[in-house]
Amino acid sequence: MNPLDDWVVDAAGALGLDPASLDIAGVLDLARDVAHNVARPAAPVTAFLVGLAAGRDGGDPDAVRLATERVFALLAARAGTGG
């Protein structure tokens, strides 16, 4: 495993989460797109917001996926309007 994988396993365990249920690539894609299209500091804040929304909506991988899709749609809308 690489350091990121090791960290995710350790952090997920500390938070009582199953690391196998996490979409790390999806989170990294989200953070990259937000950092490049909004601002770098927006990336971790957005990841946090997605986590909060997913927790509110049940916390399962589908809730994370839906929250992530909402943010990608917001990014696309902002790109289309120049906002």
Side-chain angles (χ1 to χ4, degrees):
M1 280 203 293
N2 64 43
L4 174 60
D5 292 334
D6 289 339
W7 171 251
V8 169
V9 168
D10 291 347
L15 296 169
L17 302 170
D18 176 8
S21 70
L22 305 176
D23 180 10
I24 301 306
V27 171
L28 294 175
D29 288 345
L30 176 71
R32 179 199 61 228
D33 287 2
V34 170
H36 289 286
N37 295 300
V38 179
R40 283 187 185 264
V45 172
T46 302
F48 177 73
L49 292 172
V50 165
L52 286 176
R56 177 199 63 213
D57 294 340
D60 64 8
D62 284 338
V64 174
R65 181 183 50 76
L66 290 172
T68 300
E69 287 173 357
R70 287 184 206 126
V71 173
F72 278 125
L74 177 61
L75 285 170
R78 287 173 57 107
T81 63

